[in-house]
Amino acid sequence: MKRMNHKIKGGILISLTAGSVILIIAIIVLILTVIVIQGKDRLTWEFLTSFPENGMTEGGIFPAIYGTALMVLIMTIAAVPFGTLTAIYMSEYASESSVISKSIRFAVRTLATVPSIIFGLFGLGFFIKFVGTGMDNFFLGGELKWAQPNILWASLTMALLTLPVVIVSVEEAIHTVPRELREASLALGATRWQTILKVVLPGSKSGILTGTILAISRGAGEVAPILFTGAAYYLATLPTSLSDQFMSLGYHVYIMATQSANVDETMPIQYATTLVLLLLTFALNLVAVVIRYRFRKNKK
Amino acid sequence: MKEVKISTRNLTLHYGTKMALNSVSLEIPAKQVTALIGPSGCGKSTYLRTLNRMNDLIPGVKTSGEILIDGFNIYDKDVDVVNLRKKVGMVFQKSNPFAKSIFENIAYGPRINGINNKNVLEEIVERSLRSAAIWDEVKDRLQDSALGLSGGQQQRVCIARTLAVDPEILLMDEPASALDPISTAKIEELIFELKNNYTIVIVTHNMQQAARVSDRTAFFYLGELVEEGKTRKMFTTPDKKQTEDYITGRFG
């Protein structure tokens, strides 16, 4: 009798867990199918390479792709070196149990859980209102140039958002470099910094790369942080300076869904844009997974 | 005893609150092989690592007493640890070549010392590999990864890498414990060669090895130096009962 009871309980548990998995897969498949079916017809070479036209009811999304790429590039230039240096400090210099190390770790973890809209507000308050105004007053005698949204502030705000991703990936990679190799280097009379530069960092290359790619794929899709800091509704020209605003894929989807004059006509474009954004982030994540996989295999 | 190279006086070392070395005093002669023996955890490896201050890397280590190398205390405040480690090379228990070519492994030390001239580097690499008795085995594949070599070859490459910075003292922490008998024999022959030019201190768990390669032997037990002296005497007529018990395998 008791045994029977166990069997029934086990059976229920299996159906529940399996059911959950099937439900999740079904949702993902549904989302993808809808987007692919609705968006695929619009997804042409011309769509990818031309400007929006007629109040975004026609034309393409080239400026949004270009703007996203540029923003992500600037973000990477800011976030990867900064994150890598932080990770190096945490794993090589600060001792695991020190107050500094613990507080950095706490800060990084907290940073990772802050809602992205807060980053947007922070960017507005810090970069635009504080740094930008300061730069204008100091360099330009109060003329308005930097104290307004632009691609630099948006990218830096996004860099803050993606920083934890970089720090965690690089730190993990640094930890996989065996202690014996550090000791070998130090025992040969290398300084700590030489050891980091010549042994630890080369050994963490793929971790740094993975972190970079994950940060890019996160940054490419986020909208909230750039909402107030640099993304534009529509621009007739591409950004050419750091103080220009820019168009972004995620923001483009958002405005087409909420601000469109003619929803019926922008709908297909919106699906196609979403498809582009999805393909982009999927592709980046896939590359990161492959690098990580090959890296782990090599370690063994 | 020949000229003294390393003179240790009342060396005490704590890991946090745990005492690992208790007032060790030991003189190590130049250009001879001194073997450190004793059961696991007796402090012999810890002592070895005080000689190039590798213990500095472990948080919570406190050292008192003196270690004089050529008459200078290496625990003085103004000692440059980096220079000390160039003078006192170390070979580890597990061979630990870098994930670089054989050539770059050997050139690593010279390069961090600012030697970048290709001809000079080639010369150093060849000389070091010859000294480590591995030149003939690897001379045709210097650009291959060092990780592709066998364990014994890797260990000799690591010895060559240490020799490339021109040390005066070689510390060896059970250098052959992970190797097969043939590779072990090669390392032992090599040690025999190397003592003509270097002062060698070797930690070993293998009694026969200590007897074969060393001129002097020091026996550690529970963080204390129990007895030290000429290897022949230590292995035949030790003064202390503890030493005899350990050497004859009654404990350890």
Side-chain angles (χ1 to χ4, degrees), chain B residues 64-210:
Chain B
S64 67
E66 287 186 328
I67 296 177
L68 308 179
I69 293 183
D70 295 331
F72 294 100
N73 183 8
I74 61 167
Y75 278 89
D76 258 354
K77 254 181 257 145
D78 52 353
V79 165
D80 182 356
V81 181
V82 165
N83 281 332
L84 170 73
R85 291 190 187 135
K86 283 171 189 160
K87 190 170 162 177
V88 186
M90 187 165 209
V91 177
F92 296 83
Q93 178 174 7
K94 223 179 101 195
S95 59
N96 51 2
F98 302 125
K100 301 174 192 282
S101 68
I102 296 168
F103 186 94
E104 284 305 323
N105 262 279
I106 313 298
Y108 185 88
R111 275 193 204 278
I112 56 176
N113 286 325
I115 300 173
N116 281 312
N117 182 307
K118 199 163 169 276
N119 293 333
V120 178
L121 283 176
E122 277 173 0
E123 202 185 297
I124 295 175
V125 168
E126 178 171 347
R127 177 162 31 94
S128 308
L129 287 168
R130 279 189 192 282
S131 306
I134 185 147
W135 171 252
D136 290 334
E137 287 163 67
V138 299
K139 66 180 178 211
D140 298 323
R141 44 174 173 154
L142 292 177
Q143 296 311 323
D144 293 1
S145 169
L147 300 177
L149 298 171
S150 75
Q153 289 173 326
Q154 283 190 13
Q155 192 61 302
R156 276 178 288 148
V157 165
C158 290
I159 293 174
R161 180 176 67 184
T162 306
L163 298 180
V165 286
D166 224 3
E168 293 168 23
I169 298 168
L170 278 182
L171 308 177
M172 298 184 159
D173 194 354
E174 300 184 50
S177 67
L179 302 180
D180 61 82
I182 293 170
S183 303
T184 302
K186 282 189 181 156
I187 300 275
E188 288 181 9
E189 266 169 50
L190 177 59
I191 292 172
F192 208 75
E193 283 294 313
L194 289 172
K195 77 170 180 180
N196 292 321
N197 297 309
Y198 305 92
T199 302
I200 298 175
V201 187
I202 178 172
V203 164
T204 178
H205 270 293
N206 180 329
M207 287 306 107
Q208 286 83 13
Q209 185 171 63

Side-chain angles (χ1 to χ4, degrees), chain A residues 95 179-192 194-195 198-199 202, chain B residues 49 52 54 57 82 85-86 88 90 92 96-98 100 108 111-112 161-162 165:
Chain A
S95 83
R179 196 175 52 106
E180 288 85 6
L181 291 188
R182 282 164 234 249
E183 288 194 335
S185 171
L186 293 166
L188 288 167
T191 61
R192 233 162 168 186
Q194 285 170 326
T195 303
K198 295 186 140 206
V199 175
Chain B
R49 293 166 73 94
N52 64 346
M54 283 304 268
L57 304 172
V82 165
R85 291 190 187 135
K86 283 171 189 160
V88 186
M90 187 165 209
F92 296 83
N96 51 2
F98 302 125
K100 301 174 192 282
Y108 185 88
R111 275 193 204 278
I112 56 176
R161 180 176 67 184
T162 306
V165 286

Side-chain angles (χ1 to χ4, degrees), chain A residues 70-84 86 108 111-112 116 119-120 122-123 127 151-167 211-212 214-216 218-220 222 225-226 229 246:
Chain A
L70 195 61
M71 184 272 290
V72 159
L73 180 72
I74 301 170
M75 173 203 87
T76 308
I77 292 170
V80 171
F82 192 40
T84 304
T86 310
V108 170
L111 207 59
S116 51
F119 280 99
F122 174 80
F127 289 122
I151 192 163
L152 176 65
W153 301 142
S155 305
L156 292 183
T157 307
M158 199 64 96
L160 287 180
L161 177 95
T162 54
L163 207 49
V165 180
V166 178
I167 294 174
T212 308
L214 289 177
I216 289 175
R218 174 95 197 269
E222 278 285 349
I226 57 174
T229 52
F246 67 106

